[in-house]
Amino acid sequence: MLNVPPPAFPAPRSQQRAAGSSRSKVPLKPGRSLMDWIRLTKSGKDLAGLKGRLIEVTEDELAKHNKKEDCWICIRGLVYNVTPYMEYHPGGEDELMQAAGTDGTDLFDQVHRWVNYESMLKECLVGRMALKPVAVPKEISSISEEKKQLNGMLPEKKLLGVSAKDLTPSYDWFQTDGLITVVIYTKQKDMNAELVIVDCQDKRLRGEIIVNEHSYVLEVDLDHEVEDFFINIAEKIGKVEIILKKKDNVHWKMLGQPLESHNTFIKRKNRGLFYRKCKLVSKTEVTHDTKLFCFMLPKSTCFQVPAGQHVYLKQIIAGTEVVKPYTPLLPFLPLNFKEPSCHDSANIYLMIKIYSCGLFTQALDHLQIGDCISISNPEGNFKKSQVQALEDLFFLAAGTGFTPMVKLLNFALTEVSSLRTAKLIFFNKTEDDILWRNQLEQLALKDERFEVQFVLSEAAKDWMGKQGRISSSLLSGFVKRSRKDSKVLICICGPTPFTEQGVQYLKDLGYSQEEMHAFTA
């Protein structure tokens, strides 16, 4: 019998809300909801089909289980019998069958890496894949033997090959009577606060630096307790200082004991999500079914969520971890864009639609002021450089697909000097569903560069605005360049069918893939 330890990070990193996804949900039969699946996993039924045993699975054995009535899938070295899960899967049976009898890790990462499969499928676990012996190249093994001592730290760990050595950040530390200063040399120009994430609690220090598509992590159990910390960033030379205030003025013999992920430099998509508990401080009604939640980051955490990126919320529901992504926004829409807006780095604001049958959103809505929820580091692949030199910026949003647009609009109107036009076409069912309507209309009056147009699919008789759904003819009258060769970006976000149709209509109108960014769910 195998002893399978729980993963260090139950919800892996996600590319959710990144361009390129084409996953659509399929209608589920009655009695096949997420809550129904959780009840089934708690029923005591033998879902794995092995009477509680865990086995070692060879490739040949895995390949035998490739039918709907007998379907095993391998994800990250663990094999699951997903046969009983077929009818509960929101993506449908056909999506699961694409990985039947094979290693489905890559497919899983493409469509829903953020899903907490370890918790969802723990009762379906068959066992581990049998590992084949692999010869280690000499040039790699020689690196692993290299030992470097830094002020008492244990040997550093690198997860990249020799060719990436020059790109890998490094660190050192020094101390005074009252302070410990940890210096990270990122080897990157234009380092800024949005690329630095620090958590320091209960003697554990974790600093993460984002370097393009990679992530550098420094993580240690500190030698002594600290009272507080602050961060200095030398942006032009790429140096980050984490300054810790000692609780006791004692001499530290070492910074601390390195943890598993310490001094690693790997692709962000391979880095597990890191969470911290955040307290609900306010909950404000925006529309009849949508609320603005404000969560306070702990004092032990410092990070900013860049425009166009999202976080994950994690809740334990009926004993199962459930994870959902949401895009933070501003607490209100600024109307004065003469000065860059101040970042509220202490709070995270989320505009969330509460669904009457939504397991996750109902649990969110039942949170009381002072309750806590786990929130991840910022994630996503949108870069501000996509907006920096724009002349025309268009937003196509449906419902809460409006949320990624708020920070982008604020950034563009504040800091993009070349911007001529910023237009939002906002699709909703009824007038009552329009988020921040008054604020958007005030902004359109205040700033001549901004224009908003509301489109309703279920308009009342007295509605004087546009009606219908997204279409090529509707977009052709709205998405127009201010000049023949102007630099343009069109951002689109909403339900998957809305986004897919919008992208196709824009292509038909002659816009290139580089001129579009789809935030997909």
Side-chain angles (χ1 to χ4, degrees), residues 17 286 327 329 333 351 395-409 424-428 434-437 439-440 450 452 454 492-494:
R17 292 195 180 277
V286 180
T327 304
L329 71 171
L333 202 60
M351 192 180 289
F395 298 109
L396 310 179
T400 50
F402 166 64
T403 56
M405 316 302 186
V406 176
K407 283 190 175 182
L408 289 180
L409 178 61
L424 166 67
I425 183 166
F426 199 177
F427 295 83
N428 287 278
I434 300 174
L435 304 170
W436 282 359
R437 179 179 179 178
Q439 293 189 42
L440 290 167
F450 178 66
V452 61
F454 303 112
I492 181 167
C493 186

Side-chain angles (χ1 to χ4, degrees), residues 193-194 196-199 229-231 233 276 278-279 281 294-306 311 328-331 341-349 375-376 378 407:
E194 291 184 347
V196 179
I197 305 164
V198 176
D199 290 86
F229 74 92
F230 55 96
I231 301 167
I233 302 174
R276 74 281 298 151
C278 298
K279 184 182 296 185
V281 294
C294 177
F295 294 97
M296 180 186 292
L297 290 171
K299 292 182 179 179
S300 58
T301 294
C302 183
F303 71 70
Q304 296 176 14
V305 183
V311 295
L329 71 171
L330 304 172
S341 59
C342 294
H343 292 282
D344 181 358
S345 57
N347 297 310
I348 291 179
Y349 296 90
I375 297 183
S376 78
K407 283 190 175 182

Side-chain angles (χ1 to χ4, degrees), residues 418-466:
S418 58
L419 190 71
R420 291 198 191 96
T421 59
K423 296 182 179 181
L424 166 67
I425 183 166
F426 199 177
F427 295 83
N428 287 278
K429 286 185 178 181
T430 71
E431 284 187 79
D432 291 339
D433 294 315
I434 300 174
L435 304 170
W436 282 359
R437 179 179 179 178
N438 290 338
Q439 293 189 42
L440 290 167
E441 290 176 337
Q442 288 179 45
L443 178 58
L445 292 172
K446 187 84 173 179
D447 196 311
E448 62 183 11
R449 295 171 296 171
F450 178 66
E451 177 186 336
V452 61
Q453 194 166 96
F454 303 112
V455 182
L456 302 182
S457 59
E458 298 177 9
K461 292 181 180 180
D462 58 350
W463 173 251
M464 302 299 290
K466 289 190 174 293

Side-chain angles (χ1 to χ4, degrees), residues 12-23:
R13 184 191 179 274
S14 166
Q15 287 297 323
Q16 201 273 347
R17 292 195 180 277
S21 173
S22 59
R23 179 179 184 246

Side-chain angles (χ1 to χ4, degrees), residues 26-205:
V26 299
L28 296 175
K29 297 177 183 178
R32 296 296 184 270
S33 68
L34 173 58
M35 194 66 233
D36 292 315
W37 172 251
I38 291 175
R39 290 193 190 100
L40 180 59
T41 63
K42 307 295 183 186
S43 67
K45 291 187 178 180
D46 181 17
L47 301 183
L50 294 174
K51 298 180 180 179
R53 294 181 300 116
L54 293 176
I55 63 173
E56 199 168 60
V57 183
T58 64
E59 287 186 4
D60 290 341
E61 180 63 27
L62 177 63
K64 295 176 183 177
H65 303 271
N66 62 352
K67 304 177 181 64
K68 284 186 179 181
E69 61 275 11
D70 180 19
C71 181
W72 290 8
I73 293 176
C74 174
I75 304 177
R76 291 188 178 83
L78 298 179
V79 179
Y80 298 91
N81 180 358
V82 299
T83 313
Y85 183 60
M86 283 283 178
E87 293 186 346
Y88 297 83
H89 184 235
E93 295 179 356
D94 290 342
E95 188 176 272
L96 286 177
M97 287 305 298
Q98 291 182 53
T102 67
D103 188 330
T105 304
D106 289 342
L107 179 63
F108 175 83
D109 287 348
Q110 288 172 24
V111 293
H112 41 25
R113 172 184 276 270
W114 56 277
V115 172
N116 191 342
Y117 67 92
E118 294 99 331
S119 180
M120 296 285 290
L121 299 177
K122 61 185 177 183
E123 299 302 325
C124 300
L125 182 63
V126 171
R128 284 193 186 276
M129 283 296 295
L131 298 178
K132 294 181 179 179
V134 178
V136 179
K138 290 183 179 179
E139 60 271 19
I140 299 297
S141 60
S142 63
I143 292 292
S144 65
E145 295 167 3
E146 197 177 275
K147 294 187 177 181
K148 185 178 179 181
Q149 199 78 7
L150 280 176
N151 281 328
M153 293 301 297
L154 294 183
E156 61 183 295
K157 182 196 296 181
K158 290 185 174 66
L159 296 189
L160 291 180
V162 177
S163 61
K165 185 176 181 180
D166 292 339
L167 301 176
T168 305
S170 60
Y171 79 98
D172 202 347
W173 69 280
F174 58 89
Q175 63 183 306
T176 63
D177 288 343
L179 300 175
I180 296 288
T181 300
V182 181
V183 185
I184 301 173
Y185 304 96
T186 69
K187 303 180 184 178
Q188 297 291 314
K189 296 179 181 179
D190 302 321
M191 182 57 52
N192 62 72
E194 291 184 347
L195 304 176
V196 179
I197 305 164
V198 176
D199 290 86
C200 185
Q201 187 175 24
D202 298 330
K203 289 184 64 179
R204 179 165 296 186
L205 171 66

Side-chain angles (χ1 to χ4, degrees), residues 159-420:
L159 296 189
L160 291 180
V162 177
S163 61
K165 185 176 181 180
D166 292 339
L167 301 176
T168 305
S170 60
Y171 79 98
D172 202 347
W173 69 280
F174 58 89
Q175 63 183 306
T176 63
D177 288 343
L179 300 175
I180 296 288
T181 300
V182 181
V183 185
I184 301 173
Y185 304 96
T186 69
K187 303 180 184 178
Q188 297 291 314
K189 296 179 181 179
D190 302 321
M191 182 57 52
N192 62 72
E194 291 184 347
L195 304 176
V196 179
I197 305 164
V198 176
D199 290 86
C200 185
Q201 187 175 24
D202 298 330
K203 289 184 64 179
R204 179 165 296 186
L205 171 66
R206 185 184 191 275
E208 182 170 359
I209 309 294
I210 306 303
V211 181
N212 298 319
E213 303 304 318
H214 289 76
S215 158
Y216 175 75
V217 165
L218 180 153
E219 189 170 22
V220 296
D221 271 331
L222 296 170
D223 202 32
H224 296 277
E225 291 186 32
V226 297
E227 285 187 339
D228 200 2
F229 74 92
F230 55 96
I231 301 167
N232 285 336
I233 302 174
E235 297 186 2
K236 293 183 179 180
I237 61 174
K239 184 173 75 171
V240 176
E241 293 181 342
I242 305 173
I243 302 172
L244 310 172
K245 184 179 179 181
K246 295 178 180 179
K247 187 172 183 179
D248 300 306
N249 291 343
V250 297
H251 181 79
W252 291 25
K253 294 182 179 179
M254 59 188 300
L255 181 60
Q257 290 294 331
L259 301 176
E260 183 180 0
S261 62
H262 176 68
N263 209 21
T264 57
F265 185 53
I266 63 176
K267 287 188 176 181
R268 291 184 70 190
K269 68 179 183 180
N270 296 330
R271 177 83 68 192
L273 290 177
F274 184 83
Y275 291 90
R276 74 281 298 151
K277 293 284 187 181
C278 298
K279 184 182 296 185
L280 177 65
V281 294
S282 69
K283 184 166 51 174
T284 309
E285 190 171 287
V286 180
T287 69
H288 62 99
D289 63 358
T290 303
K291 295 181 180 180
L292 183 67
F293 292 77
C294 177
F295 294 97
M296 180 186 292
L297 290 171
K299 292 182 179 179
S300 58
T301 294
C302 183
F303 71 70
Q304 296 176 14
V305 183
Q309 295 198 14
H310 56 280
V311 295
Y312 292 91
L313 270 59
K314 180 172 68 174
Q315 295 192 90
I316 306 296
I317 301 176
T320 297
E321 287 184 355
V322 183
V323 179
K324 294 288 183 182
Y326 293 99
T327 304
L329 71 171
L330 304 172
F332 56 87
L333 202 60
L335 300 179
N336 187 346
F337 295 99
K338 293 180 181 178
E339 298 290 339
S341 59
C342 294
H343 292 282
D344 181 358
S345 57
N347 297 310
I348 291 179
Y349 296 90
L350 302 172
M351 192 180 289
I352 298 174
K353 183 174 182 178
I354 310 299
Y355 293 92
S356 58
C357 298
L359 185 65
F360 195 87
T361 59
Q362 283 293 322
L364 266 180
D365 196 32
H366 283 90
L367 289 178
Q368 302 297 311
I369 303 302
D371 288 347
C372 290
I373 193 169
S374 296
I375 297 183
S376 78
N377 289 354
E379 297 286 327
N381 69 344
F382 188 89
K383 295 180 176 63
K384 285 184 177 178
S385 58
Q386 296 172 247
V387 185
Q388 288 286 7
L390 281 184
E391 296 169 88
D392 301 320
L393 179 59
F394 299 97
F395 298 109
L396 310 179
T400 50
F402 166 64
T403 56
M405 316 302 186
V406 176
K407 283 190 175 182
L408 289 180
L409 178 61
N410 180 53
F411 173 74
L413 292 176
T414 303
E415 301 186 40
V416 181
S417 58
S418 58
L419 190 71
R420 291 198 191 96

